[in-house]
């Protein structure tokens, strides 16, 4: 869901919620009654991050520490001890970085990020839940605080 600034506050102010007693936990709303307020619901839009139709070309390279790593047919594994020939090997002792942290993998014309870690991988600040589609221009943070990788398209992205 893509919501404009102030949407949740405006929608919540329209609800008749029971008062909360002292010591009672704050209840979280999982769903706003959009049907009751069609004008308010009209400003919200449903979109899938990194889904079909998302802007940006498929990346051709990963940029890390001034070096580029090509994204071809072979998966690119990232971690402290990735155990693959085509890999970005990160320094030992980096906080929040696993030995085999994540993998960039082609899926047709698109590129997927598969997260293998306990520490997390983040695309443009959003934590990846197992896998995410990535585009050129995306920033991938590995671990917490971790390191940052940039996805770029050099010329036309070639997909084997």
């Amino acid at each position: 869901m893509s919501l404009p600034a102030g949407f949740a506050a405006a929608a919540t102010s329209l609800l008749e919620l029971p008062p909360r007693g002292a010591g009672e936990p704050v209840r979280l709303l999982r769903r706003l009654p959009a049907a009751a307020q069609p004008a308010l619901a009209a400003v919200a839009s449903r979109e899938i991050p990194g889904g079909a139709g998302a802007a940006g070309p498929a990346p051709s390279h990963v940029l890390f520490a001034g070096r580029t790593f090509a994204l071809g047919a072979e998966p690119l594994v990232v971690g402290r001890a990735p155990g693959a020939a085509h890999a970005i090997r990160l320094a030992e002792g980096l906080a929040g970085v696993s030995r085999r942290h994540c993998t960039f993998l082609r899926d047709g014309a698109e590129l997927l990020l598969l997260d293998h870690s306990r520490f997390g991988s983040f695309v443009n600040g959003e934590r990846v839940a197992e896998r995410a589609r990535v585009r050129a221009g995306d920033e991938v943070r590995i671990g917490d605080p971790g390191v940052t990788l940039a996805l770029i398209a050099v010329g036309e992205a070639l997909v084997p």
Side-chain angles (χ1 to χ4, degrees), residues 76-83 87-90 94-104 113-123 127-128 130-131 140-147 149:
L76 176 66
V77 182
V78 181
R80 291 182 290 117
I88 299 176
R89 194 169 315 282
L90 302 173
L94 284 174
V97 178
S98 299
R99 282 180 258 159
R100 185 172 166 258
H101 197 95
C102 67
T103 301
F104 291 100
L113 170 74
L114 306 176
D115 181 38
H116 312 296
S117 73
R118 292 183 318 185
F119 304 107
S121 298
F122 303 81
V123 176
R127 186 169 182 146
V128 172
E130 293 183 29
R131 63 178 48 209
V140 175
R141 184 168 46 87
I142 305 298
D144 189 17
V147 297
L149 311 171

